[in-house]
Amino acid sequence: VYLAQHPLLPGPVALTVLPANAAVDIEVRQRFAARAAAVVSLDHPHILRAHDHGEFQGWSWVATDYVDGPDCSRLLDTRYRDGMPGQAALTIVTAVASALDYGHQHRVDHGDVKPANIELTQSDSSGSRGILLDYFGSAYVDADPSRRLDAKADQSALAATTFQLLTGSAPNADTPLGAQLPPELAPIRATLAKAQSENPRARFGTSVAF
């Protein structure tokens, strides 16, 4: 990802370029282009805005807004090592859930919901931050194309993200989230368990419902 100046936009952009080792794979480039075209069409206050995409001399790229602020993973590392206050985490999760449901309504799944892909703008005069879900801040293009990603998979990942925001630690994938919760978070055990039910149909109908 590079900080760049777009010739048709007033401010800087983040230019995500397909890694050279992936760009040689035509199938990967096609998936990247299809992904970029879908995300560019999205317009939601909690989705990092993608402006356009293309190829140049074999390099595939997509230009998104540049966010001058930390992602949630960095915030956990620097400020909330033991987890965020409940209200702060709830605000972030609610915003991301809204973004996911909007994307799902437009047939765009995320596929890699995690703190590192949630960008926070710098605080404004009121002390509040903007919350933006980044659809290109992940190794999406390196994912196995046969791996089925859908809205219920994103909801499960959002539950794991919720756990991490509240505890400061990534969950153990081999253990149910509820079993890893500290006692003070016991009231949300059933909610997290439902969002990660083995049967996707038993999960919440939407991420916002979660």
Side-chain angles (χ1 to χ4, degrees), residues 73-85:
S73 179
R74 184 177 302 176
L75 201 61
L76 289 173
D77 288 341
T78 60
R79 186 173 177 184
Y80 298 115
R81 291 183 177 274
D82 296 322
M84 296 180 177

Side-chain angles (χ1 to χ4, degrees), residues 14 19 37 46 50 60 72 85 93 102 105 110 137 145 163 168 188 192 196 204-205:
H46 295 301
S60 300
C72 282
V93 172
Y102 173 86
Q105 290 164 9
H110 191 279
F163 175 96
I188 67 168
L192 295 181
Q196 290 203 322
F204 292 93

Side-chain angles (χ1 to χ4, degrees), residues 71-158:
D71 59 53
C72 282
S73 179
R74 184 177 302 176
L75 201 61
L76 289 173
D77 288 341
T78 60
R79 186 173 177 184
Y80 298 115
R81 291 183 177 274
D82 296 322
M84 296 180 177
Q87 187 58 55
L90 177 61
T91 298
I92 291 171
V93 172
T94 300
V96 172
S98 174
L100 287 172
D101 283 350
Y102 173 86
H104 298 149
Q105 290 164 9
H106 290 76
R107 304 183 70 178
V108 182
D109 302 326
H110 191 279
D112 196 17
V113 181
K114 59 186 180 183
N117 288 336
I118 303 171
E119 306 279 354
L120 303 176
T121 62
Q122 294 287 9
S123 299
D124 59 23
S125 57
S126 69
S128 63
R129 289 179 181 270
I131 301 163
L132 299 168
L133 180 61
D134 185 353
Y135 276 70
F136 275 95
S138 66
Y140 169 82
V141 294
D142 294 325
D144 180 354
S146 66
R147 185 165 62 102
R148 188 159 180 250
L149 302 173
D150 57 20
K152 294 303 177 73
D154 281 344
Q155 182 185 135
S156 176
L158 183 59

Side-chain angles (χ1 to χ4, degrees), residues 6-9 13-15 36-37 40 49-54 61-64:
H6 193 290
L8 301 179
L9 296 173
V13 296
L15 190 69
V40 165
R49 181 69 177 165
H51 296 284
D52 60 4
H53 66 98
W61 58 268
V62 60
T64 64

